[in-house]
Amino acid sequence: NAGVTQTPKFQVLKTGQSMTLQCAQDMNHNSMYWYRQDPGMGLRLIYYSASEGTTDKGEVPNGYNVSRLNKREFSLRLESAAPSQTSVYFCASSERRDRGNQPQHFGDGTRLSIL
Amino acid sequence: GDSVTQMEGPVTLSEEAFLTINCTYTATGYPSLFWYVQYPGEGLQLLLKATKADDKGSNKGFEATYRKETTSFHLEKGSVQVSDSAVYFCALSEGPSYDKVIFGPGTSLSVIP
């Protein structure tokens, strides 16, 4: 019953360092998403992947890259971390939305601080 | 573009009080509408949904009705409990692909004994 698993749960980086946030889902979902959550701003979509092998930019993609490694895994990479990227990052997955009534399933988040 | 507006919080209620969290949306077509809940330290989880006009979604005592004429999807509960303290997000997704979900800013609810 794992659902969506994110690693790590917490991370502190120095400005300029790089790191990759990992996400895996075991529900055989086609679509996967990366969001960031900042106080007073709700969730903002960074990148999403509608199916294995495809990725698309969301609302705030600058400074990030993604890889849809296979159907299960969708990683988010910060090449050169900046303090503005301090946030809580959520990965989510969903069934293919042909009818639009399939909810997103979220991981517990990665709390990232950039010093 | 599509958007979701929620009443600003935080909202503080006493246990057993009636809850309403307002949500209105802007969309070009016929979106599906959702309420998600986020408990402290956790990710969002689906609370309820509605996919067409006049549908009522319900779960755990919470209800919301899809009102196309007023473009609203207000969340209600007749008697809140301390365990309902969380952040509530209204959201929509729209065709043709429904791949993207638009979230509102969230409304923080605190229920005091």
Side-chain angles (χ1 to χ4, degrees), chain B:
Chain B
D2 295 354
S3 66
V4 176
T5 303
Q6 290 180 236
M7 62 186 291
E8 291 192 14
V11 174
T12 302
L13 293 174
S14 297
E15 205 165 20
E16 299 184 2
F18 185 85
L19 168 71
T20 299
I21 301 178
N22 290 335
C23 170
T24 57
Y25 67 90
T26 302
T28 54
Y30 300 91
S32 294
L33 301 175
F34 305 85
W35 276 102
Y36 286 83
V37 59
Q38 184 181 31
Y39 298 104
E42 299 183 8
L44 281 70
Q45 56 185 276
L46 180 70
L47 181 60
L48 53 84
K49 65 183 181 182
T51 57
K52 60 183 187 296
D54 300 325
D55 267 2
K56 178 184 284 188
S58 62
N59 186 25
K60 299 180 181 178
F62 291 90
E63 293 183 339
T65 301
Y66 190 143
R67 301 289 188 197
K68 186 166 175 57
E69 64 276 14
T70 55
T71 62
S72 64
F73 193 54
H74 305 321
L75 183 68
E76 297 182 334
K77 187 175 185 182
S79 176
V80 293
Q81 306 300 313
V82 172
S83 57
D84 293 327
S85 298
V87 181
Y88 293 83
F89 293 89
C90 186
L92 69 82
S93 68
E94 192 169 30
S97 66
Y98 297 94
D99 278 330
K100 291 184 181 178
V101 176
I102 308 298
F103 288 90
T107 301
S108 176
L109 170 66
S110 293
V111 180
I112 55 177

Side-chain angles (χ1 to χ4, degrees), chain A residues 17-33:
Chain A
Q17 287 185 314
S18 62
M19 81 160 294
T20 300
L21 279 62
Q22 306 287 353
C23 175
Q25 52 92 8
D26 62 2
M27 295 172 283
N28 202 37
H29 287 165
N30 285 303
S31 300
M32 297 186 74
Y33 308 80

Side-chain angles (χ1 to χ4, degrees), chain A residues 79-98:
Chain A
E79 289 291 353
S80 179
S84 61
Q85 294 177 305
T86 293
S87 188
V88 182
Y89 291 85
F90 287 99
C91 178
S93 71
S94 69
E95 294 279 354
R96 189 75 176 106
R97 291 175 160 270
D98 292 334

